[in-house]
Amino acid sequence: MAQWTSAVGAAQLARLLNSQQERPAGPGTRRPPAYRALADGVRLLVLEGRVPVAARLPAERELALALSVSRTTVAAAYEALRAEGFLESRRGAGSWTAVPAGNPLPARGLEPLPPETLGSMIDLGCAALPAPEPWLTRAVQGALEELPPYAHTHGDYPAGLPALRAMLAERYTARGIPTMPEQIMVTTGAMGAIDAICHLFAGRGERIAVESPSYANILQLMREAGARLVPVAMAEGLAGWDMDRWRQVLRDAAPRLAYVVADFHNPTGALAGEDQRRGLVDAARSAGTVLVVDETMSELHLDDGLEMPRPVCGFDPAGSTVITVGSASKAFWAGMRIGWVRAAPDVIRSLVAARAYADLGTPVLEQLAVNWLLSTGGWEEAVDIRRGQARENRDALVAAVRRELPRWEFSVPRGGLTLWVRTGGLSGSRLAEVGERVGVRVPSGPRFGVDGAFEGYVRLPFTVGGAVADEAAARLAAAARLVETGASGGDEGPRTFVA
């Protein structure tokens, strides 16, 4: 019986491998043999989760043709991968990817490291900050006081607690977007909201247009739901959306859904302007595309005097085109798994009906805690604390990276939690791998793209500051030197892999 559970075609693997552009060799740089470079490329794809574990690889002859190399080169690369534990083979069943014994499976998203590893590893993989105390404790205490009446019920509220739905509707209305409680569904985080929307609107094989780059975990969620992702390149720097490209994609591809982050885009930090928002809504309406707008970063504006544009749903007064997703996870705390959807009442009813076959509802106690924050003014004070933390961390990280890695390029965003960095021609995948060996975890650019794009980038979140930001930049600089001098190849000795 075959041991593989999926397959990677020769053309697909060649495309992923060819995306791993290397910096031109300089004096003292060791160029690995062709078979070694191929083995390293496959190993990196497995470690990053871009080629799944237990995926059947193409036959040697097929891959050699796709890469325009000799079959001997592919055979030697496969043999090296087998020796290192990254490939298993059996006559008649082919060869499939694996990980060495004792190592955890590679993460396909951006899961946070276990707390026990944080003493030796600086985690720049997860864009989340500690809770803004004392407001978390106060919110939970307030929720406990409100809990007794709900304890006498069955506890299942598929649309969310009525009090929280009303409070969220009131907040949209206060922002100039008239909203009824019937237009709100409370979810288990923004991921739960987008998962429900994808299942309702985009069945397997449907097209979904996404920004390129975009949030890695959402891209993976959509891939696993069977969606066909259509990437739309962002404008340069922090300029937001490239509207000409969006109009062309919506017109030509007619995707069922489009997913965008208008407010402090993850990962670039871009803030879409009002004209862009209006234009995208108009284009989506003309194409019959449902526009899913992720607002999870919208309250994390960090610079004084920044005037925020109107919410995207403000340009869709009929409610026929835009579905808005919000969350407490970024603005308050990632451990508070409360998200919500704002949409037309009929869309909310459909989402609620479908939820009976998913998770039935969101935990009552956490909903009460968020409602307590929103109704007492605690939310505004907690978010103000969060902005201060993110602002200090951003400024410290920017200064440290500019000092330690002066050739790296980036634009400083005015909000959000992430810095999108061009790595001076170095491979982001190799930086991520070597970084873990020197004690800093950083996600590479291809995690945020489709089919291997953004190999020359990494994402740095504003999760550390002060001396830790200095040390993180120093470790990244050490990793960059190893990659630049060719000391990051596959035969340099023991490795440590962190999922």
Side-chain angles (χ1 to χ4, degrees), residues 44-53 99 104-113 216-217 220 224 436 441 443 447 497-499:
L44 282 170
L45 292 173
V46 173
L47 288 174
E48 288 215 316
R50 290 191 283 148
V51 168
V53 174
V99 292
L105 292 178
R108 302 197 73 184
L110 301 178
E111 296 86 348
L113 288 175
N217 287 343
Q220 190 59 33
E224 293 184 357
E436 292 195 0
R441 180 181 185 243
R447 286 179 177 258
F497 304 119
V498 182

Side-chain angles (χ1 to χ4, degrees), residues 183 185 187 191-208 221-222 225-227 256-258 288 290 292 319-325 341-358:
Q183 292 177 260
M185 182 177 86
T187 63
M191 292 286 290
I194 294 169
D195 182 57
I197 293 166
C198 288
H199 278 89
L200 180 64
F201 284 95
R204 185 166 292 275
E206 291 276 7
R207 294 186 181 92
I208 301 179
L221 182 156
M222 292 174 174
R256 185 70 182 93
L257 286 180
V290 175
V292 181
S320 60
T321 300
V322 176
I323 298 177
T324 302
V325 172
V341 178
R342 182 202 179 273
D346 61 318
V347 173
I348 295 297
R349 286 193 294 270
S350 297
L351 288 170
V352 171
R355 195 171 194 178
Y357 308 102

Side-chain angles (χ1 to χ4, degrees), residues 264 271-274 277 301 303-310 414:
F264 310 119
L271 177 65
E274 289 207 0
R277 297 172 189 232
H301 41 88
D303 289 350
D304 294 335
L306 176 61
E307 184 174 345
M308 292 294 292
R310 291 182 67 198
R414 304 191 69 184

Side-chain angles (χ1 to χ4, degrees), residues 233-282:
M234 295 287 289
E236 201 64 33
L238 299 177
W241 300 321
D242 185 324
M243 290 308 304
D244 289 338
R245 289 176 176 171
W246 268 106
R247 292 187 188 96
Q248 179 180 356
V249 166
L250 293 177
R251 181 181 62 248
D252 296 347
R256 185 70 182 93
L257 286 180
Y259 168 77
V260 297
V261 185
D263 303 297
F264 310 119
H265 174 257
N266 187 354
T268 68
L271 177 65
E274 289 207 0
D275 288 344
Q276 292 176 321
R277 297 172 189 232
R278 181 183 295 105
L280 186 56
V281 172
D282 290 344

Side-chain angles (χ1 to χ4, degrees), residues 10-33:
Q12 179 187 6
L13 184 57
R15 188 166 60 249
L16 291 170
L17 289 165
N18 287 334
S19 73
Q20 297 174 333
Q21 297 298 321
E22 291 278 14
R23 181 183 178 84
T29 300
R30 292 187 296 146
R31 282 194 176 278

